Amino acid sequence: MTVIEGIFLIGAGLFAGFMNTVAGGGSLLTLPLLIFLGLPSAEANASNRVAIFSQNIFSVAGFRSKGVRVFPFAIYVAIPAIFGAIIGSKIAVDIDETLFNRILAVIMLMVMGITVFKPNVKTQTEAMLTSKKIWVSVVAFFFVGIYGGFIQAGIGFIMIATLSAIHGFNMAKTNAIKVFVALSYTIAALIVFYLSGKIRWEYGLVLAIGQSAGGWVASRWSVGVSDKIIRMILLVMIVALSIKLWFF
């Protein structure tokens, strides 16, 4: 890796870490970049998880430093996501990437209506954490984990849509849960990719420098910002990344 490549990775990681924490889609920037730098797609996918893991450590810490935490609910949904991620990471090389990206583009546009235009999103209440709704989330996050283990890109949009639709959390709590779940299942995915010998640590660790900084800044910045502003950022990202997935 050259110095110039390292600078590109850190810069891309900074932006991707911010995107991933506030909304999602950062891996749609970092994965193509890793492939452009010469990594096979499987190694790029695996190496990207090193940065995702580091980023989410700082994102979780950032939300906790602002007093935003949703426990034990976050643990309830993280556990099934871990099992799902083991499955997803094992089948990552067997699924046609082009077809899956086009399906994801459609899904992202669908969840846009839920996450951006859902009226009167309220903060957490007792009614929104009933046993029935928690079990619905447990099942949903198993499938979230499968996709997260497979490719990661765009998973933030899916988690935001799921949490907003089922529980109506505000964006700060939604993002706090999201980064904790992503941290949890990324550990499982990293183990699978490590055992398969696909991780290029030098690329993953350099990328992690930028993503960790981006995740820390975004987690602290987003807590005091209006939901409307964050949802507008989310809207722009969803539309732009859906177009990229479908046509490119």
Side-chain angles (χ1 to χ4, degrees), residues 104-144:
L104 175 61
V106 175
I107 292 174
M108 287 167 62
L109 289 173
M110 291 174 61
V111 303
M112 178 179 64
I114 299 174
T115 58
V116 178
F117 298 113
K118 183 176 184 289
N120 300 322
V121 177
K122 302 176 182 178
T123 55
Q124 176 182 330
T125 66
E126 184 70 22
M128 294 179 188
L129 288 175
T130 62
S131 295
K132 180 179 178 180
K133 289 192 173 187
I134 290 174
W135 278 108
V136 170
S137 287
V138 166
V139 174
F141 270 80
F142 171 74
F143 294 100
V144 166

Side-chain angles (χ1 to χ4, degrees), residues 10 13 25 27 34 48 56-57 83 102 119 131 137 140 150 158 166 176 183 185 189 200 202 208 220 232 247:
I10 292 175
S27 291
L34 289 168
N48 187 54
N56 284 309
I57 289 178
F83 287 103
R102 290 192 170 188
S131 295
S137 287
F150 166 57
I158 297 173
I166 298 174
L183 173 63
Y185 75 65
R200 294 285 297 273
E202 68 275 25
R220 293 179 59 81
M232 288 307 299
F247 292 105

Side-chain angles (χ1 to χ4, degrees), residues 15-38:
F15 184 65
F18 190 94
M19 286 176 63
N20 283 335
T21 302
V22 174
S27 291
L28 293 172
L29 169 65
T30 55
L31 274 175
L33 178 59
L34 289 168
I35 293 172
F36 175 78
L37 293 177

Side-chain angles (χ1 to χ4, degrees), residues 3-247:
V3 174
I4 298 299
E5 289 175 342
I7 293 173
F8 270 120
L9 281 175
I10 292 175
L14 182 65
F15 184 65
F18 190 94
M19 286 176 63
N20 283 335
T21 302
V22 174
S27 291
L28 293 172
L29 169 65
T30 55
L31 274 175
L33 178 59
L34 289 168
I35 293 172
F36 175 78
L37 293 177
L39 272 65
S41 58
E43 292 185 2
N45 192 6
S47 303
N48 187 54
R49 308 312 177 97
V50 178
I52 294 294
F53 172 71
S54 178
Q55 167 214 303
N56 284 309
I57 289 178
F58 281 85
S59 296
V60 169
F63 280 115
R64 287 178 65 89
S65 72
K66 288 289 188 175
V68 181
R69 60 189 74 182
V70 190
F71 290 99
F73 175 80
I75 297 175
Y76 297 159
V77 291
I79 292 173
I82 290 171
F83 287 103
I86 294 172
I87 297 172
S89 55
K90 285 185 176 180
I91 64 175
V93 295
D94 298 326
I95 298 178
D96 181 78
E97 187 172 338
T98 300
L99 174 61
F100 203 79
N101 280 350
R102 290 192 170 188
I103 294 173
L104 175 61
V106 175
I107 292 174
M108 287 167 62
L109 289 173
M110 291 174 61
V111 303
M112 178 179 64
I114 299 174
T115 58
V116 178
F117 298 113
K118 183 176 184 289
N120 300 322
V121 177
K122 302 176 182 178
T123 55
Q124 176 182 330
T125 66
E126 184 70 22
M128 294 179 188
L129 288 175
T130 62
S131 295
K132 180 179 178 180
K133 289 192 173 187
I134 290 174
W135 278 108
V136 170
S137 287
V138 166
V139 174
F141 270 80
F142 171 74
F143 294 100
V144 166
I146 292 177
Y147 177 72
F150 166 57
I151 198 171
Q152 176 69 31
I155 191 67
F157 301 131
I158 297 173
M159 285 199 276
I160 289 172
T162 302
L163 292 167
S164 296
I166 298 174
H167 301 286
F169 291 122
N170 64 28
M171 287 303 295
K173 289 183 177 179
T174 295
N175 280 324
I177 297 167
K178 181 190 71 179
V179 296
F180 178 80
V181 172
L183 173 63
S184 301
Y185 75 65
T186 297
I187 295 173
L190 265 176
I191 292 173
V192 173
F193 284 120
Y194 172 76
L195 293 176
S196 68
K198 298 295 184 182
I199 299 176
R200 294 285 297 273
W201 291 101
E202 68 275 25
Y203 286 89
L205 290 172
V206 171
L207 184 61
I209 295 172
Q211 286 197 214
S212 298
W216 172 260
V217 171
S219 61
R220 293 179 59 81
W221 171 82
S222 64
V223 171
V225 176
S226 167
D227 277 12
K228 186 176 295 185
I229 294 176
I230 297 178
R231 288 177 187 278
M232 288 307 299
I233 295 173
L234 183 60
L235 169 61
V236 173
M237 290 180 179
I238 288 176
V239 173
L241 294 174
S242 295
I243 293 172
K244 178 185 182 298
L245 281 170
W246 187 266
F247 292 105

